[in-house]
């Protein structure tokens, strides 16, 4: 299907025309067309064949001709003419956080900035200051935006990394020579972003494994092809390294290559105190100058030989291990199977792709007991926020579905906008109707730390609110967290029985592991939600659980591990 390709090119044209200074009416037509085509249930090539392109809402004769031309030739003349006037590189400039079409145009006109690299140069050379409307603070924001872009290029999010690793692992697992296989590194620790993929294999025939690996179809180029180690670049420029080790050392190697570096240092220090040595080959006793292997086959065996409890990979960072080691028994971390429901998903009532019934069916298929359908409120117009009148209809639809289902409950929810003063987007009469209420900030990130803190604290004090969605506002590769006093908000959340969300959507992962660890110390309770906008997104729950584990959460810390009756009780203020 070429639907997405056509949508992308129209989206780009809209942006380029906006930079060019074209009238809003014209740019909007392209954006609208892009959105419609991306969401078409039918193949655009079929529509073309059957002469039905102009039947698509918002597609007139002129746009239909452009689509046909693109489908026939793979090119669009109007687009190619446009990029002669407005360089394509400006599309990347526009997407640098805090830039947008107006500033991109200004920098292009005044400084001939045609790419992100040009922009970086202009910022470093101090050329931005003095331009109309550009203050010192603007430059500072742009500088920060450029940093986020760079990080986004160097590191992928956990979701993207998992997908790459899963493909390689699945392909190599098929080989009879492969006895055990696991992704190690920061991916195994569940870090929010990952630089490259490390895969570890237990096999007695490394050469065969290497030969297959470097020839896999997803490989673009081979950096190294050795006897027990190889390194490749995928078509999306992700570096994937594999390493084959002997069975007797597989556990030790997995421990070593999972890291983190700081965690490994800590283990080595502990080993030295006990007259032991730990390396990628095993755990050894070095008593009396004689080296004797104690463990190496399994990770668990290595920890045991060192006299330590097993540390889950997500906890192997340089914070708080002493607390963990000192305890006789550490409560088990929360697991995916503990999750009883998803409390933040969208439906066709706002910007979701699937109906409430479809979302509920998918949730039931996962073994969940409940689902809160939390569509946007009216202020978020781009996301089709639900009006108070439509809420009545939505509630009726949910009641009807609930009446038909046994052992499953759909909660009438909302993701309500927090305005710049910390007020919510519906009045109290409307708010009191919801079973589950999520409050969220989607705009006004630029406020001062005091203002943002006040805003969030005020929301915690609102008696209708159950949780705060994506509490720091981070958007990986796009936007950093907004500035506020996190401890202050944690305290307000605890005082008012409000949960903080761990948003499992891969570009968010907000709160992140470090935030969760910190908030837990304040006594905060959490919900782990996917923020699914379509059925498949509900699979992101695993990333949220990983993030919770990185913050040391147990089942008891997470609201949506409760049964339905327990949940309704816990939600009471
Ligand atoms: Zn949101
Ligand atoms: Zn949402």
């Amino acid at each position: 299907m070429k639907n997405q390709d056509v949508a992308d090119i129209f989206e780009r044209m809209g942006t380029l025309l906006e930079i060019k200074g074209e009238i809003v009416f014209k740019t909007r037509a392209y954006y609208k067309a892009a959105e419609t085509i991306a969401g078409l249930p039918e193949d655009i090539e079929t529509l073309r064949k059957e002469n039905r392109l102009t039947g698509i809402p918002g597609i007139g004769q002129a746009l239909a001709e452009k689509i046909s031309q693109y489908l026939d030739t793979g090119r669009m003349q109007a687009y190619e003419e446009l990029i002669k006037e407005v360089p394509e590189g400006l599309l990347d400039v526009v997407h640098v956080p805090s830039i947008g079409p107006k500033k991109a145009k200004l920098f292009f006109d005044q400084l001939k900035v045609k790419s992100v690299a040009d922009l970086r140069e202009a910022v470093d050379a101090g050329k931005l200051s003095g331009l109309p409307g550009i203050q010192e603070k603007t430059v500072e924001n742009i500088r920060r935006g450029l940093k986020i872009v760079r990080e986004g290029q160097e590191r992928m999010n956990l979701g993207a990394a998992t997908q790459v690793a899963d493909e390689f692992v699945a392909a190599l697992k098929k080989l009879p020579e492969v006895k055990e296989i696991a992704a190690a590194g920061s991916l195994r620790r569940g870090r929010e972003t990952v630089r490259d993929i490390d895969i570890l294999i237990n096999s007695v025939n490394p050469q065969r494994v290497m030969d297959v690996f470097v020839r896999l179809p997803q490989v673009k180029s081979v950096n190294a092809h050795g006897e027990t180690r190889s390194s490749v670049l995928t078509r999306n420029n992700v570096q994937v390294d594999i390493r084959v080790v002997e069975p007797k050392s597989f556990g030790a190697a997995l421990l070593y290559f999972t890291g983190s570096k700081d965690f490994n240092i800590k283990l080595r220090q502990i080993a030295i105190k006990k007259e032991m040595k730990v390396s990628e080959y095993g755990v050894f006793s070095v008593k009396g100058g004689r080296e004797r292997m104690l463990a190496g086959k399994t990770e668990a065996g290595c920890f045991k030989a060192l006299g330590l409890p097993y540390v889950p990979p997500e906890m192997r960072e340089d914070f708080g291990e002493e607390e963990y080691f000192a305890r006789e028994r550490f409560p088990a971390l929360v697991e995916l199977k503990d999750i009883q429901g998803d409390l933040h998903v969208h439906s066709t009532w706002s910007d979701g792709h699937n109906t409430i019934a479809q979302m509920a069916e998918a949730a039931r298929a996962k073994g969940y007991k409940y689902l809160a359908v939390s569509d946007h409120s009216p202020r978020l117009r781009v996301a089709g926020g639900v009006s108070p009148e439509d809420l009545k209809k939505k509630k009726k639809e949910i009641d009807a579905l609930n009446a038909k289902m046994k052992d499953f409950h759909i909660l009438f929810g909302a993701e309500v906008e927090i305005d710049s003063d910390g007020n919510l987007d519906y009045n109290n009469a409307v708010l009191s109707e919801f079973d589950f209420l999520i409050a969220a900030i989607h705009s006004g990130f630029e406020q001062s730390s005091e203002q943002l803190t006040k805003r969030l604290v005020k929301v915690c004090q609102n008696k209708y609110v159950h949780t705060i969605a994506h509490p720091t506002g981070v958007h990986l590769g796009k936007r950093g967290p907004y500035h506020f006093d996190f401890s202050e908000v944690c305290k307000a959340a605890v005082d008012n029985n409000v949960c903080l969300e761990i948003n499992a959507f891969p570009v968010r992962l907000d709160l992140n592991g470090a935030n969760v660890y910190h908030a837990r110390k304040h006594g905060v309770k959490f919900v782990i939600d996917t923020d699914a906008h379509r059925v498949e997104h509900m699979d992101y729950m695993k990333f949220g659980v990983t993030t919770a584990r990185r913050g040391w959460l147990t089942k008891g810390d997470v609201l949506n591990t409760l049964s339905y009756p327990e949940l309704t009780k816990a939600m009471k203020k």
Side-chain angles (χ1 to χ4, degrees), residues 344-346 351 374 376 415 442 469-470 503 508 531-533:
H344 182 173
V345 307
H346 296 265
D351 58 347
S374 314
H376 292 288
E415 179 179 9
H442 292 109
H470 38 76
N503 191 298
R508 287 201 182 268
D531 205 349
H533 282 65

Side-chain angles (χ1 to χ4, degrees), residues 145-210:
L146 284 168
K147 191 168 159 252
I148 291 166
V149 169
R150 176 165 283 165
E151 282 165 0
Q153 282 162 347
E154 286 173 353
R155 305 185 71 94
M156 60 204 132
N157 69 53
L158 182 63
T162 302
Q163 203 179 346
V164 176
D166 284 354
E167 275 178 29
F168 278 94
V169 168
L172 294 170
K173 228 181 188 165
K174 288 187 200 139
L175 296 177
E177 288 86 357
V178 171
K179 297 284 168 247
E180 279 174 281
I181 180 165
S186 51
L187 173 60
R188 183 155 180 256
R189 300 201 310 280
R191 265 191 70 165
E192 291 79 24
T193 60
V194 173
R195 192 186 296 268
D196 42 38
I197 313 279
D198 295 300
I199 295 172
L200 211 63
I201 291 168
N202 169 359
S203 173
V204 288
N205 189 351
Q207 199 56 55
R208 162 92 177 127
V209 177
M210 293 298 140

Side-chain angles (χ1 to χ4, degrees), residues 226-397:
E227 271 172 41
T228 58
R229 289 173 56 182
S230 290
S231 174
V232 301
L233 221 54
T234 69
R235 272 181 271 115
N236 295 325
N237 296 318
V238 178
Q239 187 180 324
V240 181
D241 298 342
I242 66 164
R243 187 183 302 263
V244 174
V245 297
E246 288 181 68
K248 66 170 185 192
S249 293
F250 184 73
L254 188 56
L255 178 58
Y256 181 83
F257 291 108
T258 296
S260 63
K261 248 188 206 121
D262 293 326
F263 182 75
N264 285 349
I265 290 171
K266 201 158 282 180
L267 285 188
R268 281 204 291 278
Q269 288 166 345
I270 290 171
I272 289 167
K273 279 191 200 139
K274 298 186 174 179
E275 290 187 84
M276 288 184 206
K277 193 182 99 178
V278 56
S279 74
E280 60 184 282
Y281 302 105
V283 179
F284 303 86
S285 161
V286 291
K287 248 184 209 142
R290 239 182 71 233
E291 199 171 289
R292 192 164 54 90
M293 186 162 176
L294 300 173
K297 214 169 160 30
T298 66
E299 256 190 346
C302 292
F303 281 113
K304 204 168 162 209
L306 287 165
L308 296 173
Y310 179 81
V311 182
E314 298 91 337
M315 289 174 78
R316 297 181 201 167
E317 301 292 344
D318 190 29
F319 45 77
E321 282 89 349
E322 280 80 5
E323 182 198 331
Y324 184 86
F325 293 151
R327 291 218 207 166
E328 196 67 8
R329 278 176 68 89
F330 197 86
L333 300 184
V334 62
E335 292 179 51
L336 186 57
K337 68 171 170 50
D338 297 328
I339 301 295
Q340 300 294 313
D342 200 330
L343 293 170
H344 182 173
V345 307
H346 296 265
S347 76
T348 44
W349 280 102
S350 64
D351 58 347
H353 183 79
N354 293 100
T355 63
I356 297 178
Q358 288 167 335
M359 296 303 273
E361 204 36 64
R364 275 180 92 174
K366 287 192 173 308
Y368 290 165
K369 300 292 181 225
Y370 47 84
L371 177 76
V373 183
S374 314
D375 286 298
H376 292 288
S377 66
R379 183 185 276 269
L380 201 62
R381 223 176 296 147
V382 286
V386 190
S387 70
E389 299 78 62
D390 280 345
L391 279 177
K392 287 184 192 129
K393 292 183 217 157
K394 180 181 164 182
K395 172 98 168 68
K396 256 195 193 148
E397 186 179 324

